Amino acid sequence: MQLDERILIIRDKVLQFYKIYEKIWIGMAKFLSMLLVMVAITRTIGYAPTLTRSYIIAALALVSTMLPAQYIMLEILGVSVIHLLHFNWIIGGVVLVIFISLYILFIRLYPKESLLIVLTMLAMKVGLLCMLPIVAGLFGGLGAILAILIGIVGHFSFTSLEMMLQSLLKTEDLVVWIQENLNLYITQIFYNKELLAMLSICLIVFCVVYIIRKQVIDYAPYLAVVIGGVMNILGFILAELFLDISMNTFLLVFMTIISVVIALGIQFVSRPADYSRSESIRFEDEDNYYMVKVIPKMQVRKSVTKVQKVYIPPNRTEEINMEE
């Protein structure tokens, strides 16, 4: 048995095991992701004492396992608004208006892709941001990259909001605080070089991966992943040189390699194609020319054992015994 056949057998067994317990795996993923999100919200803006209790956080995460993506996002937004309303009614009301606008303009239109907003914010905490535009370019579209960009802005917004709320605790004049922190927020969001660099690089990586994987060439998705990883490294290095952004280059390269490996694994598991047997077919009719690229799926050669049952009537058995 060849190496590629062994890998395909392992892949098939893993997929079969996953499909048997698919609901359990999805539920566990939702529960753990929601638990991390709730803990992050509690640490950042945890001003409602009831929602900071461990059993309440666990209950909210458990409820999310039974909800579709759209309502999970509503649950996250609702918990955030409750925390902020408990801190200050004006701030909570402003954030509520922003979240309602986000729901109407994006979450309602792209319910499944909206979860990428939260995943992006979690990925930025562990340094795996570059994996998301690569995977989105392979399997997603416009909604996916918009969710990633919103998630990046949301990460920086929550970081700024945390500092702003801490400063509000030290002052009693809300009007003065709003005037000072509004300018600070605009500066940290709209004039933040690091934020603008991340948005630009993620958009470029997504476009490069999306365009390459659409090309009619062999191994196009795998080439798209590798080139997307290279573009990510080059983009941040150029941002460091020209925009004066400080970053750990070794960590950038290391996390990009990990992201590329994960993306390649996802591509292979989801869509294994045998490019060694690919064919390009061209034909025409009276009105059009047709060019079709055929790429067979990788399949494991299974040996089929055929068992044939031989039935001998009882009277035939007696005849055979008499002849002996």
Side-chain angles (χ1 to χ4, degrees):
M1 184 180 294
Q2 298 179 355
L3 179 61
D4 56 349
E5 291 184 354
R6 293 178 182 176
I7 295 174
L8 285 175
I9 290 174
I10 294 173
R11 169 190 171 273
D12 291 341
K13 289 182 178 179
V14 170
L15 289 179
Q16 289 176 2
F17 181 74
Y18 169 78
K19 289 178 180 178
I20 293 173
Y21 305 100
E22 182 176 3
K23 293 184 179 179
I24 297 176
W25 292 120
I26 294 176
M28 290 176 60
K30 286 183 177 180
F31 178 80
L32 293 176
S33 300
M34 193 66 174
L35 195 63
L36 291 174
V37 172
M38 288 300 166
V39 171
I41 292 175
T42 301
R43 291 181 177 179
T44 306
I45 53 173
Y47 294 104
T50 304
L51 295 179
T52 58
R53 295 173 183 173
S54 301
Y55 64 90
I56 296 295
I57 293 175
L60 291 172
L62 187 61
V63 169
S64 69
T65 61
M66 298 175 285
L67 298 176
Q70 184 175 2
Y71 295 104
I72 292 175
M73 286 300 301
L74 288 178
E75 182 181 0
I76 295 172
L77 299 180
V79 170
S80 302
V81 169
I82 291 173
H83 278 295
L84 294 173
L85 286 173
H86 192 274
F87 178 80
N88 184 279
W89 285 94
I90 297 177
I91 297 175
V94 172
V95 174
L96 177 60
V97 172
I98 295 173
F99 284 170
I100 291 175
S101 303
L102 178 63
Y103 175 79
I104 295 174
L105 297 177
F106 184 79
I107 298 176
R108 181 177 58 88
L109 302 176
Y110 301 97
K112 294 182 179 179
E113 290 85 350
S114 62
L115 282 180
L116 280 173
I117 298 175
V118 178
L119 292 178
T120 300
M121 298 175 71
L122 293 177
M124 292 186 69
K125 290 184 176 295
V126 296
L128 288 175
L129 174 63
C130 59
M131 180 185 68
L132 295 179
I134 293 175
V135 175
L138 286 176
F139 304 102
L142 177 62
I145 186 59
L146 287 177
I148 293 172
L149 299 180
I150 293 172
I152 295 173
V153 176
H155 172 77
F156 281 88
S157 297
F158 267 91
T159 303
S160 301
L161 182 62
E162 183 181 8
M163 295 186 295
M164 291 165 60
L165 295 179
Q166 292 296 326
S167 65
L168 181 58
L169 295 174
K170 302 176 183 179
T171 182
E172 296 180 355
D173 193 342
L174 182 60
V175 177
V176 175
W177 178 85
I178 292 175
Q179 292 175 351
E180 293 176 352
N181 287 273
L182 183 60
N183 295 329
L184 178 62
Y185 178 79
I186 293 174
T187 303
Q188 291 181 345
I189 298 300
F190 295 100
Y191 298 98
N192 190 329
K193 294 181 180 179
E194 184 179 0
L195 172 60
L196 295 176
M198 285 187 177
L199 293 175
S200 303
I201 293 169
C202 285
L203 182 60
I204 292 171
V205 170
F206 169 81
C207 293
V208 169
V209 174
Y210 184 83
I211 292 172
I212 294 177
R213 67 105 167 172
K214 288 285 188 180
Q215 301 304 307
V216 189
I217 56 176
D218 291 344
Y219 304 98
Y222 300 98
L223 289 174
V225 171
V226 175
I227 294 174
V230 173
M231 292 294 294
N232 182 77
I233 295 174
L234 290 177
F236 278 103
I237 290 177
L238 291 175
E240 183 179 10
L241 293 175
F242 294 101
L243 298 179
D244 195 20
I245 298 175
S246 61
M247 64 180 64
N248 190 331
T249 306
F250 174 78
L251 183 62
L252 168 66
V253 175
F254 179 72
M255 298 308 292
T256 302
I257 292 174
I258 292 178
S259 301
V260 167
V261 171
I262 294 174
L264 290 173
I266 295 173
Q267 171 63 30
F268 176 77
V269 170
S270 61
R271 299 172 182 174
D274 188 359
Y275 289 96
S276 62
R277 296 189 293 128
S278 63
E279 296 181 1
S280 296
I281 302 174
R282 301 183 181 183
F283 55 94
E284 62 180 277
D285 58 16
E286 295 180 355
D287 300 320
N288 303 299
Y289 292 97
Y290 301 92
M291 291 182 291
V292 180
K293 180 120 177 138
V294 180
I295 305 175
K297 294 182 179 179
M298 284 187 178
Q299 296 180 351
V300 181
R301 299 175 185 175
K302 297 181 180 180
S303 57
V304 180
T305 304
K306 185 177 181 181
V307 179
Q308 184 175 3
K309 185 176 180 180
V310 179
Y311 174 73
I312 303 177
N315 55 356
R316 178 59 179 165
T317 305
E318 294 177 359
E319 292 177 2
I320 293 174
N321 293 334
M322 291 179 60
E323 290 177 358
E324 293 178 351

